[in-house]
Amino acid sequence: MTRPFRIGAGAGFADDRIEPAVEIAEAGAADVLVFECLAERTVAREVLARREDPTKGFNPHLRDRMRAVLPACARGGIRIVSNMGGANPVAAARATVEEAAAHGLTDLRCAAVTGDEVTDLVRARPDLTLTESGDPVEAILPDLVSANAYLGVEAVLMGLETGADVVLTGRVADPSLFLAPAMHHYGWAADDLPRIAAGTLMGHLMECGNQLTGGCFADPTRPEKQVPDMANIGFPIAEIGPDGALTVTKLPGTGGRVDRMTATEQLLYEMHDPAAYITPDCVLDVTGVDLHGDGDDRVRVTGAAAGPRPDSLRVLCAYAEGYIGEGQVGYAGVGAVERAELAAKVVQDRLKRRGFTYDEMRVDLIGCTSLHGDGAGPSDPYEVRLRIAARTQSRAAAQAVGFEVRAMHVNGPTGGGGGSNPVVRDVMAVQSVFLPRELVTPEVTVLGGRG
Amino acid sequence: MTRVHDLGHARAGDKGNTSNISVTAYDAAAWDRLRRDLTAERVAEIFATIGAGPVTRYELPRLHALNFVIQNALGGGVSRSLSIDPHGKSLSALMLTIELPEETL
C-alpha cells in the first residue's frame, strides 16, 4: 500500500511561531507545508503598506519563515503553499526567490497567484448590498481601502500546476489552501463532492495550526485538559488517502496532543451552522462527522459531507472608519476601584470640556469588568487598572483620550500609577458583499528558476 | 452548584461581530445534562451582561457537543471593537462560568 499524501500546517496565523514548521520539514514528515497567515483585516493593512512602498504589502515575517524553512524543504522536496502574499503576491514571490538564492537555492521557482483584489469591480457596482449593515456598498466607497474576494481551490491549483516549489497567494479561503494540494496530487475533480468534503474538512481542522494539537486548550484546573510539553507543541500533519480517508496527527516527539477533545474543539472553531459551512469550494456538513481517537496522537476523521459550491464569492470590503484612542492607569489598595471610577469620571468630564465628541467610549476596570462585563466575577480586587478607549472621526479627539488618562498621574485621585503612553490607531472596518464567481479571474506569475 | 466548567470544555471563535462558542461534554452523563440545561435562553441571559445576543444553539450529538452562535458579541467586530479582547477569545471562559440548575430527584 502506498502511503497517504501528507499535508503539514506551517503556520496558523500571521504571527505564528516559526520552529514547528522547520521541525516538520527537517523530519521530512510532510509532502506539502501550508502556511495560513492572513486575518480578515490584514489585506487592507498590506494594501496601505504597498501604497507607501511597491516592494512591500506582503506578510512581514515572510523572509524569516522562508529563510528558516526553505533549505529543509528543498532537501526533502517539500512544496510550500501560503497566503503570505497578502496584497502583493508578486513582491512576496520575488522576496522568496531572493531568500532562496541567498541560501544557494538558485533553482527555486515561486508562483504568485493574483486576482483576489476586486476593488475596481466593487467600485463599479455601488448598488451591491453590504451583508452586515444591509446598506448599499456605495455608503462606504469614499473610505474603501480594498475589496478582496475569497478565492477558492482553483486559484491555488493554477499555482500548483506550474510546478513551482512555492505557491504564494493573497486572499484565498483558508480551507482551500489545504484542499488544493490534495486535489492536485490525486487529480480529484472539483465536483467530486465526497472527496472535496473530506479535503475541506481537513483544511478546516488544519488552518489554525496548533489549535488542533493542544494550543488554545490547556486548563490546569481540569485533569482532562492537561497538555504535555506545551513549550514544544508540534504543528498538525494531515494524512489523506486517494479516496479522502483522513487522519490528523503531529510530529512524533513534539509536545501537545491530538485526540477527540482537541479535534472537536477545532472542528467547531469559527463554525456557525454545522450543516452549512460555506467555502468557495463546497457547502460542508459536519453533522455526520465522527472522530476516532486511535491513540498515539492520531485521530481518524470520517463522515464529512458536502453540497455544491456557491455561485458567488464572498468579498471582504475594508474601509477606514476614523480612529481609536486609548489610555490606562493603575490603582491598588484600599478603595482602588472607587478611585479608578472617580478618575474615569474626571477624564470624561475633561474630554467633554475640551469639546471632543466620540462615536463610542468604553471604560474598563481591568481586573473587574474588562473582559466579561459587570455581570460576572468578584468586583473588589486589591488592584485594578483603569482603561478608557474611544472611537471617533477626529484624530485629535482620539489622541486626547490617552493624554487625559495619563494626566491622572498628577491631576487625578490619589495613588494613580503606571499610566500608559497614549495610543492612537486607525480603524479598518470590514463588511462583505457577494460577487458572481465568473467575474473574478485568478492569474499566476512564476518567478525564479534558471533561465 | 454545577457550572459548565464541571461538565465540559469550550472554545470561542470570531467572525465579524458574531462569536461562536462550542461546549463539548466530558462524558455521556454530562452531555445529557448540558443538552437539557444549557439552553440558548440560559446562554443569552448570561451574555446579555456584555450586550450580546440573540443566541442560536446547534446540537452535535455524535460529538457530544453544542455550538452556540452569539450575535453582537464582539463590540462591532475585531477592528472596530473598543474591547481589550476584540476577538472574544476569553468568552469561552464566560461560557464555562455559567451555573446550571441543580438536579432534582
Side-chain angles (χ1 to χ4, degrees):
Chain A
M1 200 183 97
T2 55
R3 67 163 171 72
F5 191 62
R6 303 163 306 168
I7 299 171
F13 81 114
D15 300 313
D16 213 335
R17 298 176 55 236
I18 289 181
E19 298 80 6
V22 180
E23 290 169 8
I24 291 175
E26 284 179 347
D31 300 299
V32 176
L33 270 175
V34 179
F35 297 76
E36 194 292 291
C37 297
L38 210 51
E40 277 194 347
R41 296 140 315 281
T42 322
V43 172
R45 302 271 178 210
E46 300 294 5
V47 166
L48 296 178
R50 187 187 66 195
R51 275 187 204 162
E52 297 275 310
D53 179 347
T55 69
K56 295 212 167 97
F58 55 86
N59 185 290
H61 300 303
L62 174 129
R63 283 179 184 271
D64 290 339
R65 289 195 196 283
M66 291 299 177
R67 202 177 297 134
V69 85
L70 280 178
C73 285
R75 279 196 302 277
I78 300 168
R79 298 179 82 181
I80 290 174
V81 174
S82 177
N83 55 11
M84 272 189 281
N88 204 346
V90 174
R94 199 166 290 126
T96 300
V97 169
E98 282 171 18
E99 288 299 328
H103 286 79
L105 305 171
T106 48
D107 288 338
L108 182 126
R109 293 170 70 235
C110 184
V113 179
T114 51
D116 59 302
E117 199 166 324
V118 291
T119 316
D120 293 339
L121 272 176
V122 168
R123 282 193 192 284
R125 285 170 179 73
D127 53 327
L128 285 171
T129 303
L130 292 163
T131 310
E132 290 81 359
S133 67
D135 297 328
V137 75
E138 190 171 14
I140 62 165
L141 285 185
D143 300 310
L144 185 69
V145 173
S146 75
N148 293 75
Y150 278 93
L151 302 180
V153 76
E154 62 274 20
V156 187
L157 284 170
M158 284 171 66
L160 289 167
E161 282 156 9
T162 66
D165 305 285
V166 179
V167 176
L168 294 177
T169 73
R171 178 63 72 199
V172 167
D174 296 346
S176 310
L177 294 170
F178 294 83
L179 169 62
M183 281 180 78
H184 178 71
H185 180 75
Y186 289 121
W188 293 343
D191 59 357
D192 185 347
L193 287 175
R195 290 175 176 84
I196 298 302
T200 299
L201 176 55
M202 181 263 294
H204 173 67
L205 288 169
M206 299 282 289
E207 70 179 69
C208 292
N210 83 0
Q211 286 196 179
L212 180 60
T213 55
C216 211
F217 184 84
D219 177 351
T221 70
R222 289 294 312 193
E224 303 91 337
K225 296 213 78 189
Q226 307 297 310
V227 176
D229 195 12
M230 266 192 78
N232 186 36
I233 289 185
F235 281 10
I237 298 166
E239 302 172 351
I240 192 157
D243 53 356
L246 173 63
T247 295
V248 290
T249 183
K250 65 182 181 68
L251 192 65
T254 57
R257 52 188 270 189
V258 185
D259 53 31
R260 281 178 51 103
M261 287 174 68
T262 59
T264 302
E265 284 198 15
Q266 194 53 26
L267 177 71
L268 296 174
Y269 181 71
E270 290 185 344
M271 184 164 286
H272 289 179
D273 181 352
Y277 182 75
I278 301 168
T279 82
D281 310 316
C282 67
V283 178
L284 181 66
D285 177 354
V286 304
T287 56
V289 166
D290 282 312
L291 300 167
H292 312 269
D294 294 346
D296 296 333
D297 290 318
R298 295 175 65 80
V299 171
R300 201 157 46 84
V301 185
T302 59
R309 68 183 201 178
D311 294 328
S312 52
L313 295 179
R314 182 172 170 228
V315 174
L316 268 190
C317 302
Y319 56 102
E321 204 200 17
Y323 308 90
I324 288 176
E326 182 190 328
Q328 296 186 13
V329 62
Y331 297 88
V334 179
V337 168
E338 287 80 357
R339 281 177 285 135
E341 286 172 338
L342 173 59
K345 254 188 228 144
V346 173
V347 168
Q348 287 173 300
D349 196 9
R350 284 183 184 153
L351 290 170
K352 197 170 166 190
R353 284 163 193 251
R354 290 177 65 188
F356 293 123
T357 57
Y358 300 91
D359 300 333
E360 188 185 353
M361 181 174 284
R362 177 177 171 121
V363 175
D364 286 322
L365 299 180
I366 297 175
C368 284
T369 62
S370 66
L371 291 168
H372 293 166
D374 288 331
S379 57
D380 192 21
Y382 182 80
E383 59 182 57
V384 69
R385 195 159 172 82
L386 169 68
R387 171 184 180 264
I388 300 183
R391 194 171 58 248
T392 166
Q393 300 306 307
S394 150
R395 178 172 274 280
Q399 270 163 342
V401 175
F403 182 90
E404 293 294 352
V405 173
R406 190 172 54 184
M408 291 296 103
H409 270 177
V410 174
N411 299 279
T414 185
S420 60
N421 287 328
V423 171
V424 175
R425 64 176 187 272
D426 300 335
V427 177
M428 189 74 76
V430 289
Q431 293 201 59
S432 322
V433 297
F434 285 85
L435 274 180
R437 64 190 306 152
E438 62 272 14
L439 294 180
V440 182
T441 46
E443 288 174 32
V444 179
T445 311
V446 180
L447 300 181
R450 291 185 198 275
Chain B
M1 179 188 71
T2 302
R3 291 182 302 192
V4 176
H5 185 260
D6 302 316
L7 302 172
H9 51 110
R11 179 171 296 183
D14 67 285
K15 266 200 169 76
N17 195 20
T18 301
S19 175
N20 88 289
I21 305 177
S22 67
V23 177
T24 306
Y26 284 126
D27 56 39
W31 165 242
D32 291 340
R33 181 91 186 272
L34 287 169
R35 193 182 203 178
R36 188 188 67 203
D37 293 336
L38 190 60
T39 59
E41 292 71 29
R42 180 72 183 125
V43 170
E45 190 186 338
I46 297 301
F47 278 76
T49 64
I50 58 162
V55 175
T56 306
R57 183 179 100 157
Y58 297 95
E59 297 184 14
L60 293 108
R62 304 172 85 98
L63 302 172
H64 288 178
L66 300 169
N67 187 35
F68 294 91
V69 176
I70 307 169
Q71 294 178 52
N72 302 304
L74 299 176
V78 174
S79 55
R80 308 179 70 234
S81 172
L82 296 178
S83 169
I84 201 165
D85 174 23
H87 297 87
K89 299 275 186 196
S90 76
L91 296 181
S92 57
L94 178 58
M95 180 70 79
L96 294 176
T97 64
I98 296 178
E99 294 173 17
L100 298 177
E102 284 312 311
E103 289 192 276
T104 47
L105 294 173

